[in-house]
Amino acid sequence: MSIQSKDVEYVAKLARLNLTDQEREKFTEQLNAILQYAEKLNELDTDGVEPTTHVLRLSNVMREDVVQESLSQEKVFRNAPEEEDGQFKVPAVLE
């Protein structure tokens, strides 16, 4: 499998990125190098290797859920640019 310049352009369009011809070629080469490495990994003999979701054996690393005093509204809104009726006021994002 290989990536073509048109594939990079398509993904850039989806991400709303404007790429120069030089950037498009550079990313095409880099992505193809990544895919070539992944193909190399497919050559490994993985028979007898147990599937894992993580390379290290992990147990629950979450801290205990301890009730703590929360911040007052005054402290919360201290650095907010705008506040209205106890809520953060932000610019509308709908067109």
Side-chain angles (χ1 to χ4, degrees), residues 8-9 11-13 17-24 27:
V8 173
E9 185 64 35
V11 173
K13 182 180 176 184
L17 298 174
N18 293 321
L19 299 179
T20 64
D21 290 339
Q22 184 181 10
E23 289 172 326
R24 187 171 42 254
F27 294 140

Side-chain angles (χ1 to χ4, degrees), residues 22-48:
Q22 184 181 10
E23 289 172 326
R24 187 171 42 254
E25 292 304 316
K26 179 181 179 180
F27 294 140
T28 301
E29 290 174 16
Q30 289 177 342
L31 289 169
N32 278 317
I34 292 169
L35 289 175
Q36 285 176 351
Y37 184 73
E39 285 296 320
K40 193 174 187 180
L41 292 175
N42 286 335
E43 298 172 7
L44 294 174
D45 179 22
T46 57
D47 292 338

